[in-house]
């Protein structure tokens, strides 16, 4: 029996036809014909039936502003619907592969690989692995929440059509509902009329955790347990493997709107959500555990926990006994729900921490097993236990983040009151001062005293003053990580430890309430990793903090700013080298390293297939613990649909289990010296070419004229400003709008520029193409780097990019576009030659995807170029221009 009733072509065709009907109904027959004419011209040019895009360009430019807006809206809506069709196709592929046993990167393949080792090794690998996806509020989600909600409804209806047997009448009713949603979608504003606030962003992240991941994670645990049971005879306990974290509502770097109130509200809201989820789960469990107490022996452990709850909550206990006489499990679950109700309440009896809830669930599980109900435990109790272990009482633990300069300035201002000129001290003097202050009992500054401080310095002290209260209220694990942007010196890390100490969050040697995480993102910081980390590991105060945190050091690597500073190839090589260097440093000091990969959704910001990225990490860095950011539109693409979310989690787990096993077998991967020398040559030349481009006179002006950066800066994508100071420099511009702008112009320069120069320099210097092919075949890092560049090159369209280049002053266009174009052509030829293939990408689905999308993105790009070229735009033209940005983002399935 077939699993599905439809295919992607049918979905695309029927959704497109439905949109056409809605378009005609909501506008006019003439409006429909205009859109159809543009669509046909775009397709005919791509298919070779037209020699030029000029007919399409002329038609777009001759339209009235009102008609141009209809065209922009039609193609934008089309992509929103087609994205759903392609999402459904991904689900079909997953379900079919699962049924046929052909899915790559499955938990079954990971279990089979683990089974080749002894049981002790398997247990150690499982104990070592901890995967921490970290959701950020980085502003790359171009769609409104209202629009996403409507699209999610349509997605559910497509699933009904595809997976259920329906009568003709029932199918007609589903299509009626889809028609209604598409009509409503057409009538809904696509562009936000206000900038989202940090709490909006926190609620957005919370939605995915609450509505998808909460249920999906338990299913992944079950799949892994089943896979391991099938491969390994010994009974193994599956430990906690996942922990979700978030920056939404707590990331202060460059965002003045993230206040202590925002963070407190986020903590409170997340706790309320997860406790409600647990109460619902326990209520459902109560419907299952209806065992007659007179016919079973519940056991001493269970009885003791029940009696303890009856003493805590005598009133609730009487109610439970009256409602569930002779049903001890239901009585217990009723009291557990009451204890959850009282967490954070003024009433006594609530759970003090998540360990209490886990202990109660374990007592129930043990009692059931002793009564021969193992299947009940596996089906109903274990999933809840795993949810509780994963999500705790916080749903997602919050990471705090702030720029290092703000800490320095705040400390300097506070110490000035004590007669100390902190700014005038050398690095060594700062380190000594901070260390002594942390180790002494008396406090040096009062974090509650912000009088006469600048607004920024007051914000820093106020944050630390609140941190202790948050940990007391919500538990240390709810907010126990502090990330420092632009860390370049040991003192930058000690400053945060000092502030936490002054606020009472740290009390060495007994207690350290936070992991202090340096974010290494500049070349100076990355190349100085041993200087920074070695100094810290030898520091008297920091050693005590490290001991208190279990000798685990989290270190964050910044992919985005590293790429923006050094270019694609040089940044990737620098990050690879420095990951190995950090692994060596931590090993030298017997410290467990947890790398935090600051990856964005796009290739140029560290994106790309996660499972391939995890398997390409240097073995010496794979300790089992890994953390990475999930950002913007990538969150929706990965986690909006439960089946796709489950598949993503499964692939992550497959990769990390296998990577940890390989790292245990071979702690140092074999990288030939010849390969390292080749990469050094290529990376140095690529960095020089990239920097030369950025530092050329007129390049910033060219970037501003040949991309829609000025429009993107005004979009209400996120709560945080697009640049750090408002100045127009590449250095000051944040990485997201930098990449977003190039993506819009279909010249995804950050994802490949200078790659060709680097390779050509190596070859011109006597390097061998055979060596490059050997590196591609045998070295996961090099293969992944080239394949990721190939993805960016595949999505680049130079003909469209040339139209944007024409917007620039003639001398700037002549200076830069040929240079960029030549680099593109050379990179394309070199990658296909090294990979020994006819096309850039290695994925058939991508070719189909691009062929389906490109003709429909082109009209939006061409209309955008026309509107950008207008010196005085009307209000409707301004709105249409902003809408084209949304449409191109939907068509490219990528922003920044």
């Amino acid at each position: 029996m077939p699993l599905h009733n439809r295919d992607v072509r049918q979905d695309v065709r029927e959704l497109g036809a439905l949109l056409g009907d809605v378009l005609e109904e909501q506008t006019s027959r003439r409006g429909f014909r205009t859109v159809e004419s543009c669509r046909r011209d775009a397709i005919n040019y791509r298919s070779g039936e037209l020699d030029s895009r000029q007919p399409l360009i002329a038609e777009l430019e001759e339209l009235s502003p009102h008609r141009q807006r209809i065209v922009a809206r039609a193609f934008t809506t089309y992509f929103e619907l087609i994205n759903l069709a392609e999402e459904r196709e991904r689900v079909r592929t997953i379900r079919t592969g699962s049924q046929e046993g052909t899915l790559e990167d499955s938990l079954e393949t990971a279990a089979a690989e683990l089974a080749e080792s002894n049981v002790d090794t398997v247990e150690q690998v499982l104990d070592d692995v901890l995967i921490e996806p970290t959701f950020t509020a980085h502003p790359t989600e171009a769609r409104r929440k209202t629009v996403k909600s409507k699209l999610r409804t349509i997605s559910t209806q497509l699933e009904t059509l595809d997976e259920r047997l329906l009568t003709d009448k029932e199918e007609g009713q589903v299509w009626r509902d889809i028609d209604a949603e598409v009509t409503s979608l057409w009538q809904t504003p696509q562009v936000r009329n206000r900038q989202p606030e940090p709490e909006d962003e926190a609620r957005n992240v919370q939605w995915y955790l609450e509505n998808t991941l909460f249920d999906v994670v338990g299913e992944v645990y079950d799949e892994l347990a089943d896979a391991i049971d099938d491969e390994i005879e010994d009974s193994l306990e599956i430990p906690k493997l996942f922990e979700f974290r978030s920056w939404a509502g707590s990331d202060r770097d460059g965002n003045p709107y993230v206040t202590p109130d925002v963070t407190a509200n986020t903590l409170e809201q997340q706790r309320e959500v997860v406790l409600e989820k647990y109460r619902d789960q326990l209520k459902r469990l109560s419907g299952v555990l209806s065992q007659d107490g007179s016919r079973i022996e519940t056991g001493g452990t269970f009885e003791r926990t029940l009696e303890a709850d009856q003493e805590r909550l005598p009133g609730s206990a009487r109610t439970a006994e009256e409602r569930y006489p002779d049903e001890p499990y239901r009585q217990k679950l009723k009291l557990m729900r009451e204890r959850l109700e009282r967490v954070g309440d003024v009433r006594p009896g609530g759970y003090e921490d998540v360990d209490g809830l886990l202990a109660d669930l374990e007592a129930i599980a043990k009692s059931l097993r002793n009564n021969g109900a193992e299947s009940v435990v596996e089906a109903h109790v274990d999933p809840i236990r795993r949810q509780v272990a994963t999500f705790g009482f916080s749903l997602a633990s919050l990471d705090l983040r702030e720029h290092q300069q703000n800490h320095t300035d705040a400390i300097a201002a506070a110490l000035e009151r004590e007669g100390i000129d902190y700014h005038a001290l050398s690095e060594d003097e700062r380190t000594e001062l901070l260390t002594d202050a942390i180790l002494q009992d008396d406090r040096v500054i009062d974090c509650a005293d912000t009088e006469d401080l600048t607004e920024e310095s007051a914000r820093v002290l106020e944050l630390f003053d609140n941190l202790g209260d948050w940990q007391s209220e919500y538990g240390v694990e709810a907010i126990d990580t502090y990330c420092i942007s632009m860390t370049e010196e040991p003192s930058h890390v000690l400053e945060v430890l000092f502030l936490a100490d002054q606020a009472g969050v740290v009390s060495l040697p007994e207690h350290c309430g936070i992991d202090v995480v340096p974010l290494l993102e500049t070349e100076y910081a990355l190349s100085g990793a041993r200087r920074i980390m070695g100094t810290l590991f030898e520091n008297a105060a920091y050693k005590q903090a490290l001991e208190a945190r279990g000798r685990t050091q989290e270190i964050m690597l910044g992919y985005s700013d590293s790429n923006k500073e050094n270019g694609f190839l040089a940044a990737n090589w620098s990050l690879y080298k420095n990951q190995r260097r950090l692994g060596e440093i931590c090993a030298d000091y017997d410290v467990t390293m947890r790398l935090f990969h600051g990856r964005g959704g796009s290739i140029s910001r560290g994106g790309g297939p996660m499972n391939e990225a995890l398997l390409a990490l240097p073995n010496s860095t794979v300790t089992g613990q890994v953390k990475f950011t999930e950002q913007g539109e990538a969150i929706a693409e990965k986690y909006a649909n439960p089946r796709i979310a489950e598949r993503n989690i499964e692939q992550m787990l497959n990769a990390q289990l296998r990577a940890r096993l390989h790292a245990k077998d071979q702690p140092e991967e074999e990288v030939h010296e010849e390969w390292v020398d080749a990469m050094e040559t290529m990376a140095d030349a690529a960095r020089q070419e990239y920097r030369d481009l950025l530092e050329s006179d007129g390049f910033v002006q060219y970037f501003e004229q040949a991309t829609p950066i000025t429009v993107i800066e005004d979009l209400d994508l996120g709560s945080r400003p697009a640049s750090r100071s408002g100045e127009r420099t590449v250095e000051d511009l944040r990485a997201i709008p930098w990449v977003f702008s190039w993506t819009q112009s279909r010249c995804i320069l950050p994802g490949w520029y200078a790659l060709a120069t680097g390779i050509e320099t190596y070859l011109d210097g006597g390097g061998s193409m055979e060596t490059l092919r050997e590196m591609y075949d045998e070295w996961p890092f090099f293969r992944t780097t080239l394949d990721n560049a190939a993805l960016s090159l595949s999505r680049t369209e130079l003909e469209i990019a040339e139209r944007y280049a024409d917007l620039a002053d003639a001398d700037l266009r002549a200076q830069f576009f040929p240079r960029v174009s030549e680099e593109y052509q050379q990179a394309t030829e070199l990658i296909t030659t090294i990979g020994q293939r006819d096309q850039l990408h290695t994925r058939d689905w991508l070719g189909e995807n691009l062929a389906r999308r490109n003709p429909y993105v082109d009209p939006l790009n061409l209309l955008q170029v026309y509107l950008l070229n207008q010196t005085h735009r009307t209000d409707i033209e301004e709105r249409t221009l902003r809408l084209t940005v949304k449409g191109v983002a939907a068509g490219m399935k990528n922003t920044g």
Side-chain angles (χ1 to χ4, degrees):
M1 178 179 174
L3 292 175
H4 306 102
N5 306 318
R6 303 168 63 82
D7 60 31
V8 68
R9 292 178 181 83
Q10 183 180 3
D11 284 341
V12 170
R13 182 175 65 253
E14 293 182 1
L15 286 172
L18 174 59
L19 176 59
D21 292 341
V22 170
L23 170 64
E24 186 170 354
E25 291 171 2
Q26 297 298 311
T27 59
S28 64
R29 182 67 181 169
R30 185 179 175 189
F32 170 75
R33 287 175 175 169
T34 297
V35 173
E36 274 295 289
S37 177
C38 292
R39 185 180 72 87
R40 283 195 303 270
D41 283 350
I43 292 173
N44 289 340
Y45 176 75
R46 287 278 183 173
S47 66
E49 294 184 33
L50 282 178
D51 296 331
S52 166
R53 284 195 173 95
Q54 199 53 46
L56 173 59
I57 293 170
E59 181 167 14
L60 288 169
E61 293 181 354
E62 290 168 5
L63 293 175
S64 67
H66 174 69
R67 200 61 53 80
Q68 287 175 340
R69 183 159 179 79
I70 290 175
V71 168
R73 192 169 187 76
F75 282 102
T76 297
T77 306
Y78 173 82
F79 280 123
E80 299 284 19
L81 297 176
I82 296 321
N83 287 345
L84 297 181
E86 292 186 351
E87 176 186 91
R88 176 103 296 265
E89 183 67 7
R90 289 175 65 192
V91 172
R92 290 189 193 101
T93 300
I94 293 167
R95 296 185 78 230
T96 301
S98 176
Q99 176 72 8
E100 298 174 354
T102 57
L103 276 183
E104 296 180 356
D105 311 316
S106 68
L107 295 180
E108 287 78 9
T109 59
E113 196 166 327
L114 286 170
E116 295 176 6
S117 302
N118 60 55
V119 173
D120 289 342
T121 298
V122 176
E123 285 186 316
Q124 187 61 59
V125 168
L126 290 170
D127 286 340
D128 288 346
V129 166
L130 180 65
I131 303 170
E132 300 184 70
T134 303
F135 297 93
T136 79
H138 283 57
T140 58
E141 172 58 81
R143 294 175 298 182
R144 295 180 61 211
K145 185 178 179 181
T146 301
V147 170
K148 287 193 293 184
S149 176
K150 295 181 183 301
L151 294 172
R152 194 47 39 205
T153 300
I154 297 171
S155 175
T156 301
Q157 291 158 339
L158 286 176
E159 178 182 333
T160 299
L161 291 171
D162 194 33
E163 297 183 16
R164 286 181 53 192
L165 290 175
L166 302 173
T167 66
D168 291 345
K169 182 177 181 180
E170 289 170 337
E171 184 175 345
Q173 291 171 338
V174 174
W175 275 110
R176 177 203 61 197
D177 293 344
I178 294 176
D179 189 322
E181 284 296 336
V182 173
T183 300
S184 178
L185 182 64
W186 180 269
Q187 295 175 341
T188 299
Q190 285 273 354
V191 180
R192 293 189 182 100
N193 57 14
R194 70 173 180 86
Q195 186 176 17
E197 297 175 356
E199 289 186 55
D200 296 327
E201 295 166 335
R203 281 190 291 269
N204 181 57
V205 166
Q206 177 188 302
W207 187 93
Y208 295 101
L209 291 162
E210 175 185 359
N211 293 288
T212 303
L213 289 167
F214 187 84
D215 295 318
V216 159
V217 166
E219 294 170 9
V220 172
Y221 275 107
D222 287 343
E223 288 179 24
L224 179 63
D226 290 343
I228 287 180
D229 285 345
D230 289 343
E231 295 287 345
I232 299 173
E233 291 184 4
D234 298 66
S235 179
L236 297 181
E237 180 73 21
I238 305 298
K240 175 180 175 179
L241 299 169
F242 289 96
E243 181 177 296
F244 294 93
R245 305 189 71 91
S246 176
W247 284 10
S250 57
D251 178 10
R252 284 158 169 72
D253 182 20
N255 194 337
Y257 308 114
V258 180
T259 64
D261 284 345
V262 167
T263 303
N265 291 341
T266 302
L267 288 165
E268 179 65 26
Q269 180 64 25
Q270 290 186 172
R271 183 171 69 178
E272 287 180 5
V273 165
V274 78
L275 293 179
E276 181 64 29
K277 298 290 283 188
Y278 294 152
R279 289 196 293 270
D280 289 345
Q281 293 288 69
L282 294 182
K283 191 167 187 177
R284 280 192 286 271
L285 184 59
S286 182
V288 175
L289 302 188
S290 55
Q291 283 84 347
D292 184 347
S294 66
R295 299 174 59 187
I296 62 173
E297 185 65 42
T298 56
T301 301
F302 177 84
E303 289 296 334
R304 283 192 293 275
T305 67
L306 179 57
E307 289 169 4
D309 282 351
Q310 289 170 338
E311 290 178 10
R312 285 189 193 94
L313 306 168
S316 298
R318 285 191 295 272
T319 302
E321 289 178 23
E322 292 170 1
R323 183 175 300 177
Y324 305 117
D326 296 322
E327 293 180 296
Y329 295 134
R330 284 183 164 177
Q331 290 179 26
K332 174 67 177 175
L333 289 167
K334 170 70 171 132
L335 296 174
M336 289 168 66
R337 295 202 304 274
E338 180 63 27
R339 292 191 69 189
L340 285 171
E341 187 75 44
R342 297 187 181 202
V343 171
D345 201 330
V346 295
R347 295 173 297 171
Y351 285 107
E352 292 185 6
D353 53 42
V354 73
D355 290 341
L357 177 58
L358 284 170
D360 278 350
L361 289 168
E362 174 58 32
I364 291 173
K366 181 180 179 181
S367 177
L368 289 167
R369 287 194 180 98
N370 291 339
N371 284 281
E374 178 69 33
S375 61
V376 176
V377 174
E378 292 180 353
H380 300 288
V381 182
D382 282 350
I384 301 175
R385 291 167 64 199
R386 287 165 179 159
Q387 287 170 330
V388 173
T390 301
F391 297 98
F393 282 174
S394 55
L395 188 64
S397 300
L398 295 188
D399 284 10
L400 294 160
R401 186 173 75 132
E402 181 58 278
H403 195 286
Q404 59 85 7
Q405 188 61 52
N406 292 330
H407 304 136
T408 302
D409 292 342
I411 290 172
L415 288 178
E416 187 177 3
R417 298 166 170 171
E418 311 301 325
I420 300 172
D421 187 354
Y422 185 73
H423 278 310
L425 300 180
S426 67
E427 171 61 21
D428 288 344
E429 290 169 334
R430 290 183 183 186
T431 298
E432 182 180 0
L433 170 67
L434 295 167
T435 303
D436 291 344
I438 294 167
L439 292 176
Q440 74 178 37
D441 293 334
D442 295 335
R443 295 183 183 179
V444 179
I445 65 172
D446 181 2
C447 289
D449 182 5
T450 60
E451 189 176 353
D452 299 328
L453 297 183
T454 65
E455 182 179 352
E456 198 61 65
S457 293
R459 274 170 45 88
V460 170
L461 295 188
E462 185 180 7
L463 166 64
F464 282 93
D465 189 44
N466 279 274
L467 181 54
D469 293 337
W470 293 332
Q471 291 192 341
S472 296
E473 172 68 20
Y474 301 101
V476 172
E477 67 281 354
I479 183 165
D480 65 348
T481 299
Y482 199 110
C483 185
I484 310 162
S485 299
M486 288 295 172
T487 300
E488 294 191 326
E489 302 292 349
S491 66
H492 296 158
V493 177
L494 291 174
E495 285 170 350
V496 170
L497 190 63
F498 166 76
L499 288 167
D501 174 76
Q502 301 301 293
V505 175
V506 169
S507 180
L508 300 178
E510 294 83 10
H511 175 70
C512 182
I514 58 169
D515 284 327
V516 186
V517 181
L519 169 47
L520 309 180
E521 46 197 328
T522 64
E523 184 59 30
Y524 175 74
L526 288 167
S527 62
R530 182 166 287 275
R531 170 180 54 83
I532 297 170
M533 301 313 303
T535 301
L536 290 170
F537 292 158
E538 294 176 2
N539 179 271
Y542 199 78
K543 281 197 292 187
Q544 291 186 17
L546 202 57
E547 287 291 341
R549 300 296 293 181
R551 295 195 65 77
T552 296
Q553 176 64 57
E554 184 173 309
I555 303 170
M556 185 173 185
L557 300 174
Y559 287 69
S560 302
D561 285 294
S562 179
N563 183 292
K564 187 162 67 73
E565 180 186 11
N566 302 294
F568 174 78
L569 185 62
N572 273 275
W573 178 235
S574 176
L575 286 163
Y576 179 86
K577 285 194 305 180
N578 285 293
Q579 286 176 63
R580 295 186 67 177
R581 182 179 299 154
L582 288 166
E584 293 168 0
I585 296 166
C586 289
D588 289 345
Y589 288 92
D590 192 27
V591 171
T592 299
M593 179 176 68
R594 177 170 57 239
L595 280 181
F596 184 3
H597 302 273
R599 295 160 50 93
S602 62
I603 296 297
S604 50
R605 296 185 53 244
M610 176 60 72
N611 55 313
E612 293 178 14
L614 291 174
L615 288 168
L617 295 174
N619 285 3
S620 59
T621 71
V622 182
T623 62
Q625 299 188 36
V626 68
K627 188 172 174 181
F628 46 84
T629 52
E630 298 280 28
Q631 303 181 9
E633 79 286 339
I635 295 177
E637 187 172 340
K638 290 181 179 182
Y639 300 111
N641 184 291
R643 287 198 176 106
I644 293 173
E646 183 178 352
R647 173 63 174 155
N648 272 287
I649 294 292
E650 176 184 339
Q651 287 180 299
M652 290 176 197
L653 184 53
N654 167 286
Q656 193 63 3
L657 288 170
R658 292 167 57 206
R660 181 56 185 151
L661 180 63
H662 297 167
K664 286 183 71 66
D665 290 342
Q666 186 181 348
E668 289 293 335
E669 65 179 328
E670 184 179 353
V671 180
H672 301 310
E673 189 174 337
E674 184 182 13
W675 298 356
V676 173
D677 291 342
M679 278 306 309
E680 288 289 354
T681 299
M682 289 186 285
D684 287 346
R687 181 185 294 107
Q688 184 175 339
E689 168 61 23
Y690 178 80
R691 293 306 311 176
D692 186 66
L693 176 73
L694 265 61
E695 292 165 6
S696 295
D697 289 341
F699 177 75
V700 173
Q701 187 179 0
Y702 174 77
F703 167 67
E704 188 170 37
Q705 294 175 357
T707 74
I709 177 60
T710 54
V711 182
I712 288 169
E713 287 179 318
D714 290 334
L715 288 175
D716 295 323
L717 291 183
S719 65
R720 148 177 123 164
S723 64
R724 291 180 170 87
S725 69
E727 297 177 5
R728 172 64 76 241
T729 65
V730 174
E731 288 74 20
D732 186 69
L733 190 69
R734 291 191 179 278
I736 291 169
W738 164 253
V739 177
F740 196 170
S741 301
W742 289 112
T743 303
Q744 284 281 307
S745 66
R746 309 287 288 282
C747 178
I748 311 179
L749 177 151
W752 49 259
Y753 189 82
L755 175 70
T757 295
I759 296 174
E760 289 283 7
T761 301
Y762 164 73
L763 293 172
D764 290 346
S768 164
M769 178 58 71
E770 287 307 311
T771 298
L772 294 175
R773 286 174 173 166
E774 182 183 84
M775 292 165 64
Y776 183 82
D777 291 338
E778 300 179 23
W779 193 10
F781 159 75
F782 190 66
R783 180 171 59 254
T784 301
T785 300
L786 288 198
D787 285 350
N788 282 341
L791 291 176
S792 291
L793 288 162
S794 297
R795 293 185 170 106
T796 293
E797 289 286 332
L798 278 190
E799 278 192 42
I800 296 294
E802 188 171 11
R803 300 289 303 179
Y804 285 85
D806 289 342
L807 295 171
D809 295 341
D811 58 334
L812 295 177
R813 184 203 185 285
Q815 180 182 356
F816 293 110
F817 186 73
R819 181 174 176 178
V820 171
S821 180
E822 182 180 359
E823 188 72 25
Y824 169 87
Q825 299 293 350
Q826 289 178 337
T828 299
E829 292 174 11
L830 286 166
I831 287 179
T832 52
T833 301
I834 294 169
Q836 300 182 79
R837 54 183 187 254
D838 296 329
Q839 60 185 11
L840 275 168
H841 55 80
T842 59
R843 297 166 171 83
D844 292 338
W845 63 264
L846 179 59
E848 296 173 7
N849 179 294
L850 293 173
R852 182 162 50 241
R853 288 170 173 279
N854 280 339
Y856 293 81
V857 184
D858 295 347
L860 288 166
N861 280 121
L862 296 172
L863 180 56
Q864 186 180 103
V865 167
Y866 170 75
L867 293 171
L868 286 170
N869 200 33
Q870 305 307 300
T871 54
H872 299 289
R873 289 186 290 270
T874 64
D875 287 345
I876 189 171
E877 287 176 326
E878 195 66 45
R879 291 196 299 272
T880 300
L881 176 57
R882 290 158 63 90
L883 184 56
T884 64
V885 173
K886 307 278 186 174
V888 172
M892 297 288 289
K893 295 184 78 171
N894 200 279
T895 53

